[in-house]
Amino acid sequence: MTRHEEPSAGVLESRNTEGRVIALWRWGLLLALILLWELGARLGWLDEFFFSSPSAIFHTAVVKWRSGEMWRDILYTGSSTLLGFVLGTVIGSALGLAFWFSRRTALIAEPWLVVLNALPKLALAPVLVILFGIGFSSKVMLAFLMTVVVAAISAWSGVKAVDPALTTLMISLGARRRQIFSHLVTPSAMPWIISGLRVNIALAMAGSIVGEFIASDRGLGRMIVYAGTTFDLKLVWVGVVVLSIVSVLMYLGVVALEKLLSRRWSDGQPAARS
Amino acid sequence: MPDLSYLRVQAVTRAFDSGGSTVTAIRDVSFDVKRGTFLSILGPSGCGKSTLFNLIAGLLTPTAGDITISGQSVVNRPGQVGYMLQKDLLLPWRTIMDNITLAQRLKGVSRAQARAMAQPLIRRCGLQGFEEYRPSQLSGGMRQRAALLRTLLTGQEVLLLDEPFGALDAITRLQLQLLLTDVWQEMSKTILFVTHDVDEALLLSDEILLLSARPGRVLHRFTVDMPRPRTPAMLAEPAVAAQKAALMDLLWKEVSSHDET
């Protein structure tokens, strides 16, 4: 539906039908892609050894699921991702916020944060696996390292953006330093912290998976590596698809969390309590 | 108690370093304010009005001189006066209710108690029904009402208002001027009011302090002899009009002499 078909609708009116059309196109395109993939494999346009086919992937997935290994691997990768994400976000944000108390410390630390952020932390994966073992903790550690610097930088950016006039106001109201931190600096930096969450959940998952690539006896990443070394490319595709689904679910979870937090901390939304 | 000079500004000078050279914002400013007075401060832009307020609010330290309220020095002691600016400076994530009770909450008053204390004034300031709104949902006039309410609820007797209605349209400004004079009389506050609007100063004040161009000094002190309650129509009365002309003349001379040098 184009704008020409509804000339009465003002540009400021919300268009509900538009949303439905967009949703239809989005799902339609996904469906078309799957169908084309299947058709391509059946008709021999695609080499089934490399690209497999949706039906074969689905079949392999069902078999794998029934063995119970799949669920175990999903839980393993998912929990190390989430744990690293939560630890990295909480500790990183706390660090970034704490810089408010000492501008000097913050200025000394700032170039370190920039360098640490630029450092390819995934390249450290082998070291971490040796340090923390092939078990769960090395995966959490990688996910943590991937997220902690981004979280610290986000929070520190938020701290730097606090309106100095508001700080002055708080002082004129007789607020103590600790009160300015809790009543002004932290809530003021919340939108910055929240905006870092989406990036961080994806980074955390990348950390967990690479950890599993290096050395692991469980997890979806390990399943993919194992399937690859045994030339079971169908299973690789299963791993990729399942990882994508887990990743999308986590992303949606973060978006929901974001909405919840934004409603509390932003200015545009109606108050949560009203 | 020396009630005659409730707020005393004694020989206050404040200089700022600006890239090697020293700029004196105000020089040797002295004046007393009686309890319950509405004093406006007029002056050309850059006369150090805001510096003076920041000094009284304890946000800046005077280079020389002292400032006392009831005989107690307020130098470097923030939180002794209510301070309101042209920008409403409401915290965007807090509701109107949580914004106006901020000063009480910072003092450790419980949320319920702070709310109960605010209730009568909310009605008085025309904010009833908006308590749970966020600042962004209100008009500029309503936000400034909330800022005024927050200043009143600090519980301080001295209020510093720095061009609080400068950004408002004429009608909203008139409403808020009326509200301010009403609550000032009811609550017997001592108000220092910075403005660059001569009419506003005449309409609201008991006294007007005229400051010179930088470095700011006290040029003149007027008493406004209009009975209260006042209306804008009174500004046209001959005595008031003459006073306004005299004020404007002094301001004019100050601005033009400063430009010549």
Side-chain angles (χ1 to χ4, degrees):
Chain A
M1 194 172 294
T2 66
R3 270 158 57 169
H4 302 286
E5 285 168 46
E6 22 176 18
S8 59
V11 280
L12 294 180
E13 311 285 347
S14 64
R15 275 188 286 262
N16 285 331
T17 47
E18 187 76 357
R20 238 174 285 149
V21 171
I22 289 170
L24 207 66
W25 269 101
R26 284 173 173 173
W27 289 105
L29 276 172
L30 179 68
L31 202 68
L33 188 75
I34 292 171
L35 282 175
L36 207 67
W37 187 358
E38 183 69 36
L39 208 66
R42 296 261 168 114
L43 297 177
W45 301 338
L46 293 169
D47 188 331
E48 254 196 280
F49 176 74
F50 293 113
F51 296 103
S52 188
S53 69
S55 59
I57 293 169
F58 183 73
H59 185 74
T60 314
V62 169
V63 172
K64 195 80 184 160
W65 181 270
R66 288 206 176 124
S67 75
E69 275 172 46
M70 178 90 93
W71 186 233
R72 189 199 68 186
D73 286 339
I74 290 174
L75 277 182
Y76 188 85
T77 305
S79 51
S80 66
T81 299
L82 276 181
L83 201 58
F85 168 75
V86 170
L87 283 174
T89 303
V90 170
I91 293 173
S93 302
L95 198 70
L97 287 173
F99 283 150
W100 178 78
F101 285 102
S102 168
R103 199 169 172 76
R104 184 187 293 172
T105 313
L107 290 176
I108 293 169
E110 203 170 19
W112 285 90
L113 282 183
V114 173
V115 170
L116 279 176
N117 192 38
L119 191 88
K121 287 162 287 288
L122 289 178
L124 287 175
V127 181
L128 285 168
V129 169
I130 292 165
L131 262 172
F132 293 94
I134 64 161
F136 193 64
S137 50
S138 62
K139 319 299 177 288
V140 175
M141 200 58 207
L142 259 169
F144 168 78
L145 278 182
M146 291 293 283
T147 51
V148 69
V149 184
V150 175
I153 289 174
S154 302
W156 171 232
S157 306
V159 167
K160 281 195 287 189
V162 173
D163 184 352
L166 288 177
T167 312
T168 309
L169 170 88
M170 294 293 286
I171 297 170
S172 83
L173 289 174
R176 282 186 290 269
R177 223 167 141 64
R178 197 170 37 79
Q179 288 178 315
I180 297 175
F181 180 75
S182 60
H183 285 88
L184 174 64
V185 176
T186 306
S188 189
M190 273 313 268
W192 272 262
I193 294 173
I194 292 167
S195 76
L197 296 181
R198 283 188 202 211
V199 185
N200 263 349
I201 189 71
L203 286 175
M205 180 167 256
S208 288
I209 293 167
V210 170
E212 289 172 9
F213 276 8
I214 301 296
S216 182
D217 52 2
R218 281 177 196 190
L220 291 167
R222 181 246 164 210
M223 184 184 103
I224 290 171
V225 171
Y226 174 77
T229 49
T230 56
F231 290 94
D232 188 355
L233 293 193
K234 259 186 285 192
L235 195 56
V236 172
W237 278 107
V238 170
V240 170
V241 170
V242 172
L243 264 181
S244 306
I245 292 168
V246 171
S247 175
V248 166
L249 288 178
M250 284 187 176
Y251 182 82
L252 291 178
V254 167
V255 170
L257 180 73
E258 240 184 58
K259 266 202 186 128
L260 201 77
L261 290 171
S262 307
R263 213 170 43 223
R264 177 73 183 85
W265 297 115
S266 86
D267 50 355
Q269 311 287 331
R273 276 189 306 276
S274 66
Chain B
M1 288 301 290
D3 218 24
L4 282 177
S5 49
Y6 176 54
L7 168 72
R8 302 194 79 161
V9 177
Q10 294 164 294
V12 167
T13 297
R14 170 69 204 206
F16 293 94
D17 277 331
S18 102
S21 65
T22 311
V23 176
T24 307
I26 58 171
R27 176 173 293 161
D28 199 24
V29 168
S30 296
F31 61 92
D32 292 357
V33 186
K34 282 183 233 160
R35 191 189 287 265
T37 302
F38 196 122
L39 176 88
S40 282
I41 297 168
L42 266 176
S45 97
C47 71
K49 291 173 287 195
S50 298
T51 303
L52 180 63
F53 269 22
N54 284 329
L55 289 164
I56 300 173
L59 301 171
L60 282 176
T61 313
T63 312
D66 195 15
I67 299 162
T68 59
I69 293 175
S70 285
Q72 292 264 322
S73 177
V74 293
V75 168
N76 277 334
R77 288 179 60 218
Q80 310 298 310
V81 297
Y83 198 2
M84 177 181 174
L85 298 165
Q86 187 172 338
K87 274 170 77 182
D88 57 68
L89 296 179
L90 297 169
L91 302 180
W93 53 87
R94 281 182 165 240
T95 61
I96 293 302
M97 180 57 107
D98 287 339
N99 262 293
I100 61 178
T101 53
L102 183 57
Q104 297 298 324
R105 301 281 292 128
L106 290 173
K107 280 181 201 154
V109 176
S110 79
R111 192 185 163 110
Q113 208 181 337
R115 290 181 160 233
M117 285 166 75
Q119 216 58 58
L121 270 169
I122 287 174
R123 189 160 288 280
R124 191 72 197 72
C125 292
L127 282 167
Q128 70 275 17
F130 295 98
E131 292 93 334
E132 300 307 320
Y133 280 61
R134 292 276 166 89
S136 62
Q137 295 172 294
L138 299 188
S139 67
M142 292 302 266
R143 283 207 296 271
Q144 209 57 355
R145 273 172 197 263
L148 176 62
L149 190 45
R150 178 182 60 197
T151 313
L152 292 169
L153 285 171
T154 55
Q156 307 296 346
E157 283 187 42
V158 177
L159 306 183
L160 310 179
L161 311 182
D162 191 351
E163 292 188 42
F165 311 140
L168 302 176
D169 65 86
I171 295 167
T172 310
R173 169 187 270 228
L174 207 57
Q175 287 175 324
L176 278 160
Q177 287 168 340
L178 196 66
L179 173 66
L180 176 63
T181 39
D182 283 357
V183 293
W184 161 66
Q185 285 178 316
E186 280 166 33
M187 302 174 76
S188 60
K189 300 281 187 189
T190 306
I191 293 182
L192 267 62
F193 190 93
V194 160
T195 179
H196 52 240
D197 180 341
V198 177
D199 281 341
E200 185 173 52
L202 286 165
L203 185 64
L204 299 178
S205 324
D206 297 322
E207 293 179 87
I208 298 173
L209 203 66
L210 195 63
L211 292 189
S212 70
R214 183 180 294 157
R217 287 163 292 115
V218 178
L219 273 186
H220 217 288
R221 186 165 179 165
F222 290 87
T223 303
V224 183
D225 286 322
M226 265 195 285
R228 292 184 191 268
R230 294 173 181 172
T231 62
M234 289 179 182
L235 293 173
E237 284 171 15
V240 181
Q243 195 162 37
K244 181 180 175 181
L247 255 168
M248 291 297 275
D249 198 42
L250 275 168
L251 264 173
W252 178 260
K253 277 183 191 145
E254 181 58 24
V255 174
S256 50
S257 75
H258 196 73
D259 276 350
E260 281 160 23
T261 51

